[in-house]
Amino acid sequence: HWSGLGIAGLFPILNGRWADVREQTLQWLKAQFDAEVWAVESMIALCDHEYPDVQQMGRSLLTGRLSQGHDEDCLLALAAHPSLRMQTFVAEWLHLALREVCILQQLRPFILTVLSQVNRGRQAKQALLRQLRDLALQSEVWAGEVAWIFDRMVVTVAIGDKAQYLAGLSAIRMQYPQIKTNLHICTPLKREVA
């Protein structure tokens, strides 16, 4: 009886306040449609939903889609999402999409947004920083892109985060001294004690 409605046609039913109807609708959607047939916009709409059970199905569908490792368009669409929960989700899955430097360049706005947040998004920041540091050590090309990001962040963030960017820039400079950064390591001056 629901098959004629399709995925989008069932969304209004998910807005209902009756949990049993939502659960029945979610079960039917899971049974009828694989993650591959869902539009990215529909999965994101589920993640944005007000009810946690609907949000969970959206995240589950996205996880299924992303775990296949070939849907960077999905991740790029998610990266534009303003929700802190979705930013954390994207940061945790980013390693699957980062197979080419051009994808990292496309994700610059997302990365800068997440890393620029003050007093929020710590989990997303840490996941992202860990992945960026790992990428920087893989090759000179990756290191150059990560150095650009760290160079920008070290002058714009809260003092508590500066140490992480400085440490990342220092590691890049140690491994790839030819990469130009704004980090200048100076030897401390010896002071004479009178």
Side-chain angles (χ1 to χ4, degrees):
H1 62 288
W2 286 346
S3 55
L5 295 175
I7 293 173
L10 293 174
F11 274 36
I13 297 172
L14 296 174
N15 293 330
R17 64 178 188 223
W18 297 284
D20 58 333
V21 174
R22 275 196 320 274
E23 181 59 33
Q24 186 180 9
T25 306
L26 292 172
Q27 290 303 322
W28 189 83
L29 284 168
K30 286 177 193 174
Q32 297 298 314
F33 302 103
D34 292 329
E36 298 84 41
V37 300
W38 283 77
V40 173
E41 297 79 18
S42 295
M43 291 186 284
I44 293 173
L46 290 177
C47 291
D48 282 339
H49 205 276
E50 66 178 299
Y51 294 113
D53 53 346
V54 179
Q55 293 171 7
Q56 178 55 41
M57 180 170 168
R59 283 192 300 275
S60 174
L61 286 167
L62 286 168
T63 299
R65 183 87 153 253
L66 292 171
S67 65
Q68 296 169 2
H70 58 50
D71 203 351
E72 60 258 357
D73 290 339
C74 181
L75 205 55
L76 290 170
L78 288 170
H81 199 281
S83 157
L84 186 59
R85 188 176 335 109
M86 290 307 291
Q87 289 175 0
T88 303
F89 183 84
V90 171
E92 291 170 354
W93 280 96
L94 204 56
H95 66 281
L96 291 176
L98 293 177
R99 291 182 300 277
E100 299 173 26
V101 173
C102 66
I103 296 172
L104 183 61
Q105 292 167 341
Q106 290 174 353
L107 288 168
R108 271 185 187 174
F110 165 76
I111 291 168
L112 295 174
T113 298
V114 170
L115 295 179
S116 297
Q117 295 179 35
V118 180
N119 296 327
R120 62 185 293 242
R122 180 62 49 193
Q123 185 178 357
K125 267 189 204 180
Q126 293 305 320
L128 202 49
L129 278 169
R130 192 172 35 256
Q131 290 176 40
L132 290 172
R133 282 193 304 261
D134 290 347
L135 283 173
L137 300 177
Q138 288 181 13
S139 75
E140 186 177 344
V141 175
W142 285 107
E145 184 63 28
V146 172
W148 184 92
I149 293 168
F150 285 1
D151 257 349
R152 180 162 176 158
M153 294 309 301
V154 77
V155 297
T156 61
V157 297
I159 290 176
D161 291 333
K162 283 188 189 294
Q164 296 180 70
Y165 300 115
L166 289 170
L169 285 169
S170 179
I172 290 169
R173 287 288 296 274
M174 296 293 256
Q175 185 147 351
Y176 305 103
Q178 65 277 17
I179 292 179
K180 301 287 185 227
T181 68
N182 291 324
L183 177 68
H184 300 287
I185 301 172
C186 303
T187 33
L189 296 175
K190 274 189 173 180
R191 293 189 180 182
E192 300 278 332
V193 179

